[in-house]
Amino acid sequence: MGQSILRQDGGLAIGQAGRVAELLRDGGLVRNGPSLLMGGARLTDIAESIGTPAYVYNLDAVRGRYRALDAAMGPVPHRICFAVKANSSLAVLHALSELGAGADIVSGGELSRVLAAGFPAERVVFSGVGKSEAELCEAVRVGVGRINVESAAELQRVAAVAKAQDRRVAVGIRVNPDVTAETHPYIATGARGIKFGIPADEVVAAAHVALGQPQLELGAIAMHLGSQILDLRPYSEGLDRLLALVAELRAIGVPLTTLGLGGGLGIRYDDQEPIAPASFAAALLPRLEAAGLSVELEPGRYLVGSAGVLLAEVLYRKHSGGKEFVILDAGMNDLLRPSIYQAYHEIVELEARGRPPELVDVVGPVCETGDFLALDRPLPGLRPGEFVAVLCAGAYGFVMASNYNSRPRPPEVIVDGGRTWVARPRESAEDLLRNERMEAP
Ligand code: LLP
């Protein structure tokens, strides 16, 4: 962490301020005087009227990211299927579906959500390593665009489900290309020996299984290398492995039309330099064009990560054991990423007050020592009653929130073209007790 120098307007000077400015720009956030605005809305007004903790998403920022990626992929036939696991708010899903996006889902619950949000079933790709029979039945019944399978046994199960419903089903094979991506080990998914995909050397055998099932139309192979990838190398290596398989599969008569490159495009959380859509396209599209394949992407974080913040209020300050603590009303049950991946999320004041930075631990109210949002972080002397925004919380934020400590999950608020509205209200005490029984009926 570089030396931070305080500027007169209360922000922190370059590199700290330059770095934070880039993070704010990525999310469509600006300072107007001391106040932080998202898409024109003053976040302090939202915190005061809706309460904290609260997630706030900027739909225009999401649309901008989609359009940038879509334009970069323009030279080849392509579909961008939003990885719903990153943010499954119906409002966010609906905005993406209106832009023509597809959806990448991994459960029956996500299937219900994308259909409710207006995605036509044919734009839905069903991925995931453990799809249940009930989930497959429903996916086949509604007619999802494709089911990406992850084992020969799953191919047999999809075939049986399709037969029972007298349907033909488009399937793809998710390949484990044995490519390592430099990211947190919990979110690296393309290396040998992890649970995802069919190993590259077993794909031809799996394709034979598919070819032997008249209900299955095998038209795609796909990979997903991991998440928060900042380097083109793994994509390029993975693409080469997949293209080698395309040739082998075409040689045995598999009519492949589509190649899936997965998701994984990283975003800036701190001072990272993410892959620009134009570099991604320039590095990969020529090979895909030459192979006559259409491309499918499954970005989650890239589309929504920077476009969301978690608002919180400072409840207390505490000095203990030589450390300074800022205790927020948001904790690991609201945003789990710092606790489980040691993820860095920038924290900024909603109203800049021009105070010098001090080193603090920013912690939540949950009864776990691992309940923190930032450790040893230089932040301007925050006082109780003040609000902060935890940046880059639009992906894997609310979706990973829980009711741990019987805490209600926060609301999801949308800022869109000058309007601010609650897309999902804060859970209530009744919500937490609903559906429970104390005694045998
Ligand atoms: N496609 C598949 C098959 C996936 O498994 C994933 C993410 C994606 C696409 C989207 O990846 P993205 O573009 O968002 O990187 N909870 C973790 C991230 C888990 C990602 C799991 N799979 C986190 O908070 O960093």
Side-chain angles (χ1 to χ4, degrees):
M1 178 83 44
Q3 199 64 20
S4 307
I5 308 160
L6 198 70
R7 289 188 318 205
Q8 280 200 316
D9 66 0
L12 295 173
I14 311 294
Q16 175 82 330
R19 189 179 62 78
V20 173
E22 290 201 43
L23 292 171
L24 295 181
R25 198 174 321 121
D26 289 346
L29 296 153
V30 288
R31 283 247 179 239
N32 180 13
S35 300
L36 192 61
L37 310 189
M38 176 189 271
R42 186 169 168 258
L43 288 173
T44 298
D45 293 340
I46 296 178
E48 279 170 353
S49 60
I50 290 159
T52 53
Y55 278 97
V56 190
Y57 309 131
N58 182 351
L59 283 193
D60 273 336
V62 175
R63 294 188 186 101
R65 305 283 281 194
Y66 177 86
R67 290 195 180 109
L69 190 57
D70 192 37
M73 299 300 289
V76 295
H78 64 275
R79 173 156 287 158
I80 299 175
C81 293
F82 174 55
V84 171
K85 61 172 81 68
N87 185 318
S88 54
S89 157
L90 290 182
V92 170
L93 295 177
H94 181 63
L96 284 165
S97 108
E98 295 224 301
L99 294 177
D104 169 60
I105 60 161
V106 291
S107 70
E110 289 189 352
L111 178 58
S112 325
R113 283 189 165 273
V114 298
L115 296 178
F119 284 91
E122 63 271 16
R123 277 198 247 142
V124 177
V125 175
F126 192 7
S127 311
V129 71
K131 306 176 194 78
S132 71
E133 175 140 5
E135 288 175 322
L136 288 171
C137 284
E138 184 59 7
V140 169
R141 190 187 70 75
V142 304
V144 298
R146 200 173 57 250
I147 299 177
N148 278 348
V149 298
E150 301 216 11
S151 63
E154 189 189 346
L155 271 171
Q156 308 272 20
R157 181 164 272 188
V158 176
V161 167
K163 194 167 182 189
Q165 296 189 29
D166 196 19
R167 301 282 285 267
R168 276 177 69 78
V169 177
V171 292
I173 291 182
R174 173 160 173 194
V175 179
N176 178 328
D178 188 16
V179 169
T180 47
E182 273 153 39
T183 187
H184 192 282
Y186 288 4
I187 55 177
T189 50
R192 230 172 97 80
I194 52 116
K195 69 178 177 180
F196 296 104
I198 297 183
D201 57 0
E202 292 172 28
V203 169
V204 170
H208 278 297
V209 173
L211 288 174
Q213 303 286 345
Q215 294 80 20
L216 303 184
E217 291 168 26
L218 175 57
I221 57 172
M223 65 180 182
H224 171 70
L225 300 169
S227 202
Q228 184 59 9
I229 298 173
L230 296 164
D231 165 18
L232 281 165
R233 179 201 48 84
Y235 286 104
S236 188
E237 280 180 27
L239 175 58
D240 279 342
R241 298 203 181 161
L242 257 54
L243 287 173
L245 279 173
V246 168
E248 279 188 65
L249 293 171
R250 282 179 167 165
I252 61 162
V254 179
L256 284 182
T257 60
T258 305
L259 195 139
L261 294 174
L265 286 170
I267 62 168
R268 200 183 335 261
Y269 282 98
D270 184 3
D271 55 3
Q272 299 90 345
E273 204 40 67
I275 301 171
S279 324
F280 185 79
L284 307 174
L285 295 196
R287 276 176 275 174
L288 288 158
E289 234 174 335
L293 290 161
S294 64
V295 186
E296 213 162 69
L297 297 181
E298 301 163 0
R301 189 188 320 262
Y302 166 82
L303 292 176
V304 295
S306 306
V309 298
L310 173 63
L311 303 183
E313 181 180 339
V314 178
L315 294 179
Y316 302 104
R317 287 297 306 255
K318 180 166 173 173
H319 184 85
S320 174
K323 296 212 82 161
E324 277 298 320
F325 292 96
V326 172
I327 302 171
L328 299 183
D329 62 357
M332 67 188 291
N333 74 294
D334 302 299
L335 180 64
L336 187 59
R337 304 192 69 258
S339 299
I340 64 167
Y341 312 121
Q342 293 75 48
Y344 183 95
H345 283 263
E346 192 60 48
I347 298 175
V348 297
E349 302 163 282
L350 294 196
E351 301 296 324
R353 292 181 170 86
R355 289 166 303 204
E358 51 174 340
L359 218 54
V360 293
D361 281 5
V362 181
V363 300
V366 172
C367 300
E368 298 252 0
T369 305
D371 174 32
F372 58 82
L373 294 177
L375 297 178
D376 292 325
R377 186 72 64 84
L379 287 176
L382 296 165
R383 306 306 317 159
E386 295 175 3
F387 295 118
V388 294
V390 183
L391 303 186
C392 307
Y396 307 108
F398 181 87
V399 287
M400 293 174 77
S402 76
N403 293 122
Y404 186 38
N405 280 201
S406 286
R407 289 169 48 81
R409 285 180 300 168
E412 292 180 291
V413 180
I414 299 291
V415 172
D416 186 21
R419 290 184 60 213
T420 298
W421 48 283
V422 177
R424 175 182 185 128
R426 186 183 311 286
E427 283 178 333
S428 63
E430 302 83 76
D431 289 334
L432 295 183
L433 302 183
R434 185 166 298 138
N435 296 328
E436 269 192 65
R437 278 197 182 125
M438 237 178 320
E439 288 170 352

